[in-house]
Amino acid sequence: MTSRVPPGLARLNSADRQAVAVLLHEVCAAGPWIETVAAGRPYPDPAHLYAAAEAALAALDEAGLAEAMAGHPPIGRPAPGDPVSAREQRGVAGAPEELRAELRELNLAYQERFGHVFLICATGLGAVRMRDALRARLGNAPEREREIARGELGKINRIRLTRLVEAEGA
């Protein structure tokens, strides 16, 4: 029995190195992650791709993790012209200005404390839940927060990879 390879995975498997790098950069901005996932091609099915992506994320050193996190805009401020971050952060779009201002202030405090953007898998979350998570995580030790951020990055990568795998066409 053979299983059908989803169209996005077939494209990822067959694309040239430069096109693969562009596709994977939309998932995760860390160069070592992109190189590792690209080198594992071809993937026979999504499960193998997801496992390789998770292993590549786990293997990122501090510099790689910092590079991955730097590819994400702050919560409440999706990058202009970036439909991916806008879609992921849509829970903030309709929030009252007071709540959005509080998110901006908390984001600044977080970045000052930890030296990187607050990372949360925002898909499906409302602004209040993101604010509450941000408040709670401000009290974490830096080492603990880096591991939480790595876990959140893994969730984000999985959602983005799933979209990539299932995408029709170019």
Side-chain angles (χ1 to χ4, degrees):
M1 176 176 159
T2 60
S3 62
R4 185 177 87 69
V5 174
L9 181 56
R11 182 180 44 163
L12 182 73
N13 281 336
S14 64
D16 66 44
R17 194 84 166 158
Q18 183 176 350
V20 167
V22 170
L23 288 170
L24 291 175
H25 190 271
E26 292 297 316
V27 174
C28 181
W33 183 90
I34 293 168
E35 291 170 21
T36 300
V37 174
R41 296 177 310 142
Y43 294 101
D45 55 46
H48 282 86
L49 171 62
Y50 301 149
E54 288 170 13
L57 179 61
L60 286 180
D61 62 12
E62 288 299 310
L65 185 58
E67 184 180 13
M69 289 189 293
H72 290 268
I75 290 296
R77 290 185 290 152
D82 179 0
V84 174
S85 63
R87 178 180 55 239
E88 290 171 348
Q89 295 190 31
R90 90 176 61 155
V92 176
E97 179 53 37
E98 182 178 300
L99 179 54
R100 292 184 3 210
E102 186 179 5
L103 278 167
R104 285 191 295 274
E105 289 174 26
L106 289 167
N107 270 309
L108 288 173
Y110 181 96
Q111 283 185 273
E112 187 174 303
R113 174 160 164 69
F114 296 110
H116 58 83
V117 69
F118 171 70
L119 199 59
I120 188 168
C121 183
T123 300
L125 297 182
V128 171
R129 284 192 54 201
M130 287 184 256
R131 181 210 51 209
D132 292 348
L134 184 45
R135 278 183 184 162
R137 287 173 50 190
L138 268 168
N140 287 337
E143 302 77 29
R144 172 77 178 124
E145 188 53 31
R146 295 286 275 187
E147 287 312 305
I148 291 171
R150 187 185 297 268
E152 293 297 314
L153 184 61
K155 293 176 196 175
I156 295 164
N157 288 357
R158 180 63 174 262
I159 290 168
R160 290 178 175 185
L161 274 176
T162 299
R163 283 193 189 108
L164 175 66
V165 162
E166 294 172 355
E168 297 286 341

